[in-house]
């Protein structure tokens, strides 16, 4: 078993797709498949269930993944320690984010970081906040921008960076448009337009509905803010979104406040208890280059989390 094979395995496990994994690894798909087959032959068991569209980990693959990540992290730490003696930041930085999360200009930050640290390979992955937190906990992400939706996996720390209220977004001709506030009871029989499970707005809306004694169900589900705004614009339903989403189309859509007891949309930076040198450098940059950016996670402004979402 070689480190190269473990890297191939972890990349396929992360991407759930051989073609995308091969592109990231900059090897041929046939070469990647051969590497995974050789690893499976050596272990005597299948690591993936393959289909035409994606691959999923088998039970054996799931068991191998955590140890593979730790092994690769240890090898990378050794290489980084040697580079640090020479005053270099090297290795890989994998950043995650929920799309349209706001608060931090992530593309700009990544651009600055790459210019300042050319020896670091930078990767970016978009998915819902719940999955991002799990990925930070497992080591698949170094840093993630997430919506705080409740307790997160043990070993993950959050630094909140912004907070705003959720609102009900509706068409100007919808009856809600003339109200000063809309409660959850009024929403439970409305066609809801929302995001996929695991996304911040979905989790927060579901929690608000549950607190009022109702199930949150979406009539139409999207994976980006712009289709959601389009659907609301055609009066096909209403949506629960952060106020910043509503501000994207203030002339054509109406944003109506929710009661104060509805959870707020809080954006935070998620990281492991012991960030890698590359992650620490990125965090220092995001938090205005302060030498105490990492240690400030321990302060009262940080959120320590200990249980699974």
């Amino acid at each position: 078993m070689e480190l190269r094979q473990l890297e191939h395995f972890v990349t396929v496990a992360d991407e759930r797709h051989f073609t995308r994994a091969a592109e990231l690894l900059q090897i041929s798909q046939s070469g990647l498949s051969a590497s995974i087959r050789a690893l499976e032959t050596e272990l005597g068991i299948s690591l993936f269930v393959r289909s035409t569209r994606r691959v999923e980990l088998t039970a054996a693959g799931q068991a191998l993944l955590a140890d593979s990540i730790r092994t690769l992290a240890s090898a990378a730490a050794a290489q980084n320690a040697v580079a640090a003696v020479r005053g270099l930041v090297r290795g890989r930085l994998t950043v995650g984010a929920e799309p349209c999360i706001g608060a931090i200009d992530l593309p700009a930050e990544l651009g600055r970081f790459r210019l300042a640290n050319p020896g670091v390979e930078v990767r970016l992955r978009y998915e819902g906040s719940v999955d991002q937190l799990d990925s930070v906990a497992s080591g698949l992400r170094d840093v993630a921008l997430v919506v705080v939706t409740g307790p997160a996996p043990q070993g993950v720390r959050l630094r909140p960076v912004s907070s705003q209220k959720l609102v009900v977004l509706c068409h100007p001709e919808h009856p809600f448009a003339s109200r000063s506030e809309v409660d959850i009871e009024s929403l439970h029989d409305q066609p809801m337009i929302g995001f996929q499970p695991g996304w911040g707005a979905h989790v927060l809306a579901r929690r608000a509905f549950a607190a009022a004694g109702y199930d949150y169900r979406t009539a139409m589900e999207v994976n980006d803010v712009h289709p959601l705004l389009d659907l609301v614009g055609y009066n096909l339903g209403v949506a629960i979104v952060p106020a910043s989403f509503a501000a994207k189309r203030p002339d054509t859509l109406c944003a109506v406040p929710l009661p104060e007891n509805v959870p707020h949309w809080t954006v935070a930076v998620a990281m492991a208890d012991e960030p890698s040198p590359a992650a620490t450098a990125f965090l220092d940059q995001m938090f205005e280059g302060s030498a105490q950016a990492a240690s400030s996670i321990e302060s009262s402004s940080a959120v320590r989390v200990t249980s699974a979402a």
Side-chain angles (χ1 to χ4, degrees), residues 15-63:
E15 292 297 319
R16 298 293 198 270
H17 199 279
F18 273 84
T19 301
R20 289 197 298 267
E23 291 172 352
L24 283 173
L25 293 164
Q26 296 185 338
I27 63 174
S28 67
Q29 185 173 340
S30 60
L32 176 59
S33 297
S35 175
I36 296 298
R37 281 197 301 270
L39 181 59
E40 290 176 322
T41 299
E42 181 178 347
L43 295 173
I45 196 166
S46 295
L47 299 173
F48 295 104
V49 177
R50 297 159 173 82
S51 69
T52 55
R53 292 191 175 182
R54 58 187 289 147
V55 294
E56 298 289 345
L57 286 167
T58 63
Q62 292 173 350

Side-chain angles (χ1 to χ4, degrees), residues 163-185:
S163 185
Q164 59 181 297
K165 294 181 179 180
L166 292 174
V167 299
V168 175
L169 194 63
C170 66
H171 188 277
E173 296 179 2
H174 193 282
F176 288 167
S178 60
R179 293 195 187 184
S180 59
E181 183 179 279
V182 177
D183 56 27
I184 299 299
E185 185 176 3

Side-chain angles (χ1 to χ4, degrees), residues 116-299:
N117 302 277
V120 178
E121 177 188 356
V122 179
R123 293 183 176 182
L124 175 63
R125 299 287 180 274
Y126 281 108
E127 59 186 349
S129 291
V130 173
D131 289 337
Q132 292 287 7
L133 286 169
D134 288 341
S135 293
V136 173
S138 68
L140 290 173
R141 305 282 182 272
D142 295 301
V143 177
L145 296 180
V146 300
V147 180
V148 178
T149 57
Q154 185 174 6
V156 175
R157 301 189 184 192
L158 304 177
R159 178 171 176 174
V161 294
S162 72
S163 185
Q164 59 181 297
K165 294 181 179 180
L166 292 174
V167 299
V168 175
L169 194 63
C170 66
H171 188 277
E173 296 179 2
H174 193 282
F176 288 167
S178 60
R179 293 195 187 184
S180 59
E181 183 179 279
V182 177
D183 56 27
I184 299 299
E185 185 176 3
S186 299
L187 287 168
H188 85 277
D189 60 352
Q190 292 288 318
M192 301 297 301
I193 301 170
F195 297 98
Q196 297 173 339
W199 288 46
H202 183 103
V203 176
L204 296 177
R206 186 177 61 191
R207 182 181 303 158
F209 269 60
Y214 300 104
D215 290 332
Y216 174 71
R217 298 179 180 177
T218 54
M220 299 184 182
E221 195 172 271
V222 300
N223 61 0
D224 186 78
V225 63
H226 298 290
L228 180 142
L229 298 177
D230 291 339
L231 293 169
V232 174
Y234 281 103
N235 207 9
L236 292 169
V238 300
I240 295 177
V241 298
S244 59
F245 286 16
K248 293 178 181 293
R249 298 188 187 177
D251 298 330
T252 56
L253 299 176
C254 293
V256 187
L258 283 161
E260 281 296 327
N261 61 348
V262 171
H264 285 198
W265 172 279
T266 299
V267 175
V269 178
M271 65 213 78
D273 282 338
E274 298 182 6
S276 69
T280 299
F282 185 62
L283 293 167
D284 286 346
Q285 174 192 290
M286 280 202 301
F287 299 126
E288 300 178 343
S290 169
Q292 306 199 352
S295 63
S296 67
I297 302 164
E298 305 266 2
S299 71

